[in-house]
Amino acid sequence: MRYNAYSDYMKKRYGEKVYKISVNLPITCPNRDGNVGTGGCIFCTEAGAAFEKIPSSMSVKEQIEANIEFTKRRYGANKFIIYLQNFTNTYMPLTCFIQIINQCRADNVCGIYISTRPDCVADGYMAALKNYADKFNYDVCIELGLQSANYKTLSHINRGHTLAEFIDATLIIKKYDFDICAHVILDLPWDDMADVIECAKILSALKINQVKIHSLYISKGTVLAKMYENKEFEMGTFYDYVERVIYFLRYLSPDIVVQRLIGRAAQNTTLFSNYGVSWWKIRDNILSEMELRDINQGDKCNYLGGAALKNL
């Protein structure tokens, strides 16, 4: 592989394929309820950013049991990771958070992934997760939404935080020795290639463990959809996205595991999704271009550790 693929990493770590079991909680985000803003991210629907979900009316235990049973039948799965996926999964009182994670127990579960925002990471929550992980011998990964390293873009998309909060959250999480997976959207119309490269450099300098790359979906009924219909911005091309991903990978440390190069969205709920191309065709095009041009993840990661001193 031309990049540090998540599937390879998981097989090396656990000896076989591990399946994520999504849990959907009836929660929200601080940029929705008026704490740091209202309306949420301009690209996010009222249901949140998750693509495939079980109704949040089911208990955590019921969701886990149903999802595990389905995954066992369909894929013959043996090992699982519990993934608290939708909205901001640490945005609740600490006592409630502890109750939730204590319900995330099932046979053959080897870890728990928590999806949250940089401004919703605090020591008390991480300490509770550490106690839980040590007690049940679970791995923990915090999936941390960044989306862009450009603070002006973050304001434009109504994130309610800047790069500073992401750095702060990273430093807090690292005290507990958890993995961090940063989520980034590489084709935001307000970012250029310099922003894409700088994002890769920041994640590398912070020694983030994993990254999940997204393209921008324009979901119906969102603020972004209205802006798109009013022609307030233009999306780039399929080839622009491929090039952005390639350059992001070139500047990204080869030690960082890449969970995905492109995601999926339901076609009937979006105005724009993956340039009208199947996600796997975009992935294959990225890999073909990297092979053709003899490009590897990290081949431009030469800027750390006092780079200016290397030629003295």
Side-chain angles (χ1 to χ4, degrees):
M1 291 291 285
R2 291 284 176 169
Y3 71 99
N4 191 358
Y6 182 68
S7 57
D8 293 339
Y9 162 78
M10 295 296 277
K11 287 179 182 177
K12 289 177 184 177
R13 184 168 183 82
Y14 298 109
E16 61 184 282
K17 188 169 183 178
V18 180
Y19 291 79
K20 283 185 178 179
I21 300 301
S22 295
V23 173
N24 181 26
L25 302 178
I27 53 177
T28 187
C29 297
N31 64 339
R32 285 176 169 269
D33 66 1
N35 190 338
V36 300
T38 57
C41 302
I42 63 173
F43 52 77
C44 197
T45 68
E46 289 302 313
F51 175 34
E52 298 168 331
K53 297 188 300 186
I54 293 178
S56 61
S57 56
M58 294 176 66
S59 72
V60 170
K61 181 178 175 59
E62 288 172 334
Q63 290 185 56
I64 291 172
E65 289 177 348
N67 235 331
I68 285 180
E69 181 60 29
F70 171 80
T71 308
K72 280 182 176 179
R73 288 198 317 268
R74 183 166 184 177
Y75 302 107
N78 295 310
K79 289 185 179 179
F80 307 95
I81 285 173
I82 306 300
Y83 183 23
L84 305 187
Q85 181 178 11
N86 66 309
F87 293 121
T88 304
N89 283 273
T90 56
Y91 189 53
M92 64 181 74
L94 179 56
T95 53
C96 295
F97 180 70
I98 293 172
Q99 290 174 0
I100 292 293
I101 61 175
N102 282 333
Q103 295 177 57
C104 294
R105 288 280 295 129
D107 293 337
N108 300 321
V109 170
C110 53
I112 182 169
Y113 281 36
I114 308 290
S115 179
T116 191
R117 289 164 48 95
D119 55 0
C120 292
V121 173
D123 280 298
Y125 296 77
M126 296 301 104
L129 268 174
K130 182 66 173 174
N131 290 336
Y132 167 84
D134 289 347
K135 181 177 179 181
F136 298 113
N137 194 30
Y138 278 8
D139 291 333
V140 174
C141 180
I142 307 300
E143 300 225 0
L144 201 55
L146 173 60
Q147 315 314 349
S148 171
N150 185 322
Y151 70 92
K152 291 182 179 178
T153 297
L154 292 175
S155 175
H156 202 85
I157 63 178
N158 198 38
R159 283 293 293 175
H161 67 79
T162 65
L163 180 60
E165 288 92 330
F166 180 83
I167 295 171
D168 178 57
T170 298
L171 297 177
I172 292 172
I173 295 166
K174 283 187 171 293
K175 291 190 296 183
Y176 298 88
D177 200 29
F178 298 152
D179 276 5
I180 302 170
C181 176
H183 289 225
V184 295
I185 301 173
L186 293 189
D187 57 348
L188 287 162
W190 306 279
D191 281 357
D192 57 23
M193 185 65 83
D195 294 308
V196 169
I197 291 171
E198 187 65 12
C199 185
K201 294 172 75 172
I202 288 168
L203 298 184
S204 300
L206 288 172
K207 293 181 169 52
I208 298 299
N209 307 93
Q210 303 175 22
V211 65
K212 186 179 286 184
I213 301 171
H214 301 266
S215 60
L216 183 63
Y217 306 133
I218 303 177
S219 297
K220 296 175 182 177
T222 61
V223 173
L224 186 67
K226 293 179 181 178
M227 295 170 64
Y228 182 68
E229 291 173 325
N230 291 336
K231 302 187 185 315
E232 295 179 35
F233 66 90
E234 292 183 0
M235 293 298 299
T237 67
F238 163 86
Y239 299 103
D240 292 332
Y241 181 77
V242 169
E243 199 69 8
R244 288 190 180 205
V245 173
I246 288 173
Y247 268 86
F248 179 83
L249 292 175
R250 298 191 76 178
Y251 282 89
L252 190 70
S253 167
D255 295 328
I256 296 177
V257 175
V258 180
Q259 282 205 26
R260 67 164 64 137
L261 301 177
I262 188 81
R264 294 182 297 156
Q267 296 292 326
N268 63 331
T269 66
T270 56
L271 298 178
F272 180 94
S273 172
N274 289 348
Y275 303 90
V277 180
S278 298
W279 68 270
W280 56 269
K281 288 184 178 180
I282 298 177
R283 179 204 60 195
D284 289 353
N285 192 276
I286 292 167
L287 295 177
S288 296
E289 281 295 311
M290 292 178 74
E291 186 71 28
L292 180 66
R293 292 150 60 179
D294 193 23
I295 288 171
N296 293 302
Q297 178 181 337
D299 63 14
K300 286 186 174 291
C301 187
N302 57 358
Y303 47 83
L304 301 175
L309 299 174
K310 294 175 182 177
N311 295 324
L312 291 181

